[in-house]
Amino acid sequence: MLIDSHCHLDRLDLKPFEGDFDRFMAKAREEGISHMLCVGINLPTFERCAALAARYPEEISLSAGEHPNDSKGQPLDVEQLLEYGRRQQVVAIGETGLDYFRSEGDLSWQQERFRQHIQVAKTLHKPLIVHSRAAKEDTLRIWREEGAMDVGGVLHCFAEDWDMARRALDLNLYISFSGIVTFKNAQAIQEAARKVPEDRFLIETDSPYLAPVPYRGKPNYPFYVRKVAEKIAELRGTTLERVGETSGENFYRLFSLALNKKHKNSSE
């Protein structure tokens, strides 16, 4: 059984399933996917994600946040984020962070929104899902300055090098590997995947984006996380089963407080 720790279920191409989300879920079960974390990209689409998760409370969890490339330059509605973040289904805040690759000009608004997400996460005692692209130093600096180590989180879709991973690990961040780790030109990411401690890595698809080899360039789906797990097993000299078991344990450890509360409430 595998966990996709980062996907965008509201954005999947459901044409292969005749537009039926239930058929997609049946396929995910058949492929051995036990849980998926549907990650928020912006607040206006949160309710759409929440509606999907409400139908499958044991198989889908949520996060709430504003992607650094979304609503460019717009202030964050902190009260709305706090409201969504308190929902029973929500296990994390984000994705948030910095992206200097696809944004130009004065990006102080990105930094401010990142800081606001961190403060919301600390208020709610929930971990953060962090996006960082071409912004290594500022990402780690703001993380330290805002005391985000207190709640921890995950550096998702890791696309940097071992130096970045090592420093992030020291700041109470987990490292999550996506389909990028299967790309031929991803040697630095593959090095990090070999070196990250066994108790500190997650696996993800970031679907519908960044499909792994051999599906690169095609729509991505959560069940392709198996290809990510297979590559990491190859790199680490272990088995697919061990990668699935370990990454699953790490997922539930990172999101334990929110997930345990959710499952307790759903059983009452």
Side-chain angles (χ1 to χ4, degrees), residues 200-211:
R200 297 293 293 280
F201 76 87
L202 303 178
I203 55 176
E204 65 169 271
T205 60
D206 202 13
S207 55
Y209 315 108
L210 297 173

Side-chain angles (χ1 to χ4, degrees), residues 198 232-240 242-243:
E198 189 175 48
I232 290 177
E234 173 193 324
L235 292 167
R236 297 175 74 91
T238 187
T239 64
L240 169 65
R242 182 60 182 169
V243 170

Side-chain angles (χ1 to χ4, degrees), residues 151-165:
V151 291
V154 56
L155 195 58
H156 106 91
C157 193
F158 187 75
E160 295 282 352
D161 54 17
W162 169 238
D163 176 67
M164 170 67 159

Side-chain angles (χ1 to χ4, degrees), residues 15-240:
K15 289 195 290 292
F17 308 98
E18 298 182 5
D20 188 336
F21 188 76
D22 294 330
R23 291 192 178 190
F24 156 75
M25 288 297 295
K27 173 67 171 177
R29 287 190 209 101
E30 289 175 6
E31 294 290 336
I33 306 303
S34 63
H35 199 88
M36 294 167 277
L37 176 48
C38 182
V39 175
I41 288 180
N42 57 51
L43 299 183
T45 59
F46 174 82
E47 293 291 5
R48 188 165 66 206
C49 296
L52 296 175
R55 292 162 55 188
Y56 298 93
E58 297 303 315
E59 295 170 88
I60 302 174
S61 296
L62 294 174
S63 74
E66 289 271 359
H67 189 286
N69 286 324
D70 206 273
S71 306
K72 293 183 179 181
Q74 298 301 310
L76 177 68
D77 188 337
V78 175
E79 291 305 313
Q80 184 69 81
L81 180 57
L82 280 164
E83 179 187 331
Y84 288 155
R86 292 188 178 100
R87 298 276 186 94
Q88 177 181 319
Q89 299 161 302
V90 173
V91 301
I93 300 302
E95 68 187 277
T96 180
L98 304 175
D99 192 319
Y100 296 169
F101 183 81
R102 288 183 287 179
S103 299
E104 299 177 347
D106 181 5
L107 299 179
S108 59
W109 60 270
Q110 264 194 22
Q111 297 182 14
E112 178 60 21
R113 287 204 329 202
F114 186 24
R115 293 181 189 276
Q116 290 173 320
H117 278 80
I118 292 172
Q119 292 308 311
V120 167
K122 291 173 69 174
T123 297
L124 300 178
H125 306 289
K126 294 185 178 182
L128 289 135
I129 297 172
V130 180
H131 173 109
S132 178
R133 190 170 186 193
K136 174 170 38 175
E137 297 303 328
D138 282 352
T139 298
L140 297 179
R141 175 179 58 81
I142 291 172
W143 184 265
R144 286 193 304 269
E145 290 175 354
E146 295 298 322
M149 298 81 72
D150 294 345
V151 291
V154 56
L155 195 58
H156 106 91
C157 193
F158 187 75
E160 295 282 352
D161 54 17
W162 169 238
D163 176 67
M164 170 67 159
R166 178 183 55 78
R167 293 164 64 190
L169 290 165
D170 289 342
L171 294 172
N172 198 23
L173 278 158
Y174 286 64
I175 307 298
S176 182
F177 296 99
S178 70
I180 296 175
V181 77
T182 69
F183 298 174
K184 288 183 178 179
N185 62 347
Q187 288 88 356
I189 300 167
Q190 292 168 1
E191 178 190 13
R194 282 191 293 266
K195 291 183 176 180
V196 169
E198 189 175 48
D199 63 346
R200 297 293 293 280
F201 76 87
L202 303 178
I203 55 176
E204 65 169 271
T205 60
D206 202 13
S207 55
Y209 315 108
L210 297 173
V213 175
Y215 307 107
R216 187 174 183 181
K218 299 178 181 179
N220 198 4
Y221 295 96
F223 33 84
Y224 292 166
V225 76
R226 179 177 298 274
K227 294 299 181 183
V228 178
E230 289 174 349
K231 184 63 177 182
I232 290 177
E234 173 193 324
L235 292 167
R236 297 175 74 91
T238 187
T239 64
L240 169 65

Side-chain angles (χ1 to χ4, degrees), residues 1-5 34-35 174 198-199 201-203 229 240-256 259:
M1 302 298 287
L2 298 169
I3 291 175
D4 185 354
S5 69
S34 63
H35 199 88
Y174 286 64
E198 189 175 48
D199 63 346
F201 76 87
L202 303 178
I203 55 176
L240 169 65
E241 290 75 19
R242 182 60 182 169
V243 170
E245 178 184 5
T246 302
S247 61
E249 290 172 352
N250 296 342
F251 177 87
Y252 283 110
R253 185 186 312 110
L254 175 59
F255 300 113
S256 60
L259 279 167

